[in-house]
Amino acid sequence: MSSRLVGVGVGPGDPELVTVKGVGALRAAEVVVVPVMAVADGTDGGEPGRAEATVLHYVSAEKVVRVVFALNERSDRTRREAAWDAAGERVAALLRGHGSVAFATIGDPNVYSTFTYLAQTVAELVPGLVVETVPGITAMQDLAARSGAVLTEGTEPLTLVPVTAGSRVLKEALGGPGTVVAYKFGRQAREVAEALRESGRLEGAVWGSALGLAEESIRPAGELDGAPLPYLSTLIAPARREGGRGGKL
């Protein structure tokens, strides 16, 4: 029988936001892999990541296997590629010993997820591999629900931007007509605040981090003072809306 690798989105951190299908996939898999960030010596540092903490609400610790990824490596492509290769080899070995492996990822496995790279790597190592994904609730959906920010109405477009691509990409998006969501902007909070002010999109914008966790923070973007924020911060800058209810239908 073919080996089966399933990417399971476990949401932004609140364990209650894992879907019923996601819980079923985690429990059905023989092994659940969780990504952890490598520390200076290349190990996982011993601390559970957000995906692992969520998974442990639904499966036993004995079933969970940590795999180190260079999640924070952006400057050294060689080191990053080597980390992906090592992670792929580790998961391929697990698949050879177990028929089904689930990979838990925060958010959704098809939205800026490590699972994309892992699946590509493992597919080259395991002939006949079946790759599936189970969608998860994204940070922008959770922040919208917790803050009351409406993501889209009528014919409005929605643009999702990773600020790791540079502030220019964000500024271009903010010049458009629809809602803009920015991910991974914590280290560039000052540039994000400036872009919002320059584009006139500060009013109504909101940012959040650690959604659903004890350290959750949700604040108006107008309170951004340039101080660094958690890396996994999310921003919603709603579309400019005029004409009352249904004005953009």
Side-chain angles (χ1 to χ4, degrees):
M1 293 181 64
S2 299
S3 298
R4 186 165 168 261
L5 176 63
V6 184
V8 182
V10 296
D14 183 348
E16 292 186 352
L17 292 182
V18 184
T19 67
V20 173
K21 186 170 184 177
V23 172
L26 293 173
R27 290 176 173 169
E30 296 177 48
V31 174
V32 178
V33 170
V34 294
V36 291
M37 186 180 296
V39 295
D41 63 358
T43 65
D44 65 25
E47 293 297 322
R50 193 175 299 184
E52 180 179 358
T54 303
V55 165
L56 290 176
H57 281 79
Y58 299 105
V59 301
S60 64
E62 292 76 18
K63 191 174 180 177
V64 176
V65 175
R66 293 179 175 181
V67 174
V68 175
F69 286 82
L71 300 175
N72 57 341
E73 180 57 70
R74 298 193 176 277
S75 59
D76 190 334
R77 183 178 180 85
T78 300
R79 181 174 178 272
R80 185 171 67 240
E81 295 277 0
W84 287 344
D85 289 342
E89 291 283 1
R90 180 77 175 97
V91 174
L94 290 170
L95 283 163
R96 295 183 188 108
H98 305 276
S100 61
V101 172
F103 180 88
T105 179
I106 59 172
D108 183 278
N110 293 304
V111 180
Y112 298 131
S113 170
T114 304
F115 180 73
T116 302
Y117 315 120
L118 177 70
Q120 291 173 1
T121 304
V122 177
E124 296 177 357
L125 300 172
V126 181
L129 177 68
V130 175
V131 177
E132 300 174 359
T133 58
V134 177
I137 291 174
T138 61
M140 64 177 168
Q141 292 171 290
D142 196 14
L143 178 57
R146 294 175 188 275
S147 68
V150 176
L151 288 171
T152 57
E153 289 185 358
T155 58
E156 294 171 354
L158 173 64
T159 303
L160 176 59
V161 176
V163 182
T164 48
S167 59
R168 180 184 59 81
V169 177
L170 175 62
K171 290 177 181 178
E172 290 177 354
L174 289 170
T179 294
V180 176
V181 176
Y183 274 4
K184 307 176 185 179
F185 78 91
R187 296 171 186 167
Q188 295 172 271
R190 184 179 301 279
E191 291 88 339
V192 169
E194 291 175 354
L196 287 167
R197 292 188 180 94
E198 290 173 4
S199 62
R201 300 289 294 270
L202 194 60
E203 184 178 355
V206 62
W207 73 268
S209 63
L211 301 174
L213 304 177
E215 62 271 29
E216 174 182 279
S217 180
I218 298 175
R219 295 164 57 191
E223 296 181 10
L224 288 171
D225 57 7
L229 302 173
Y231 174 66
L232 291 177
S233 293
T234 299
L235 170 83
I236 298 176
R240 298 181 180 90
R241 297 184 175 115
E242 300 174 354
R245 183 178 62 184
K248 292 191 176 181
L249 289 174

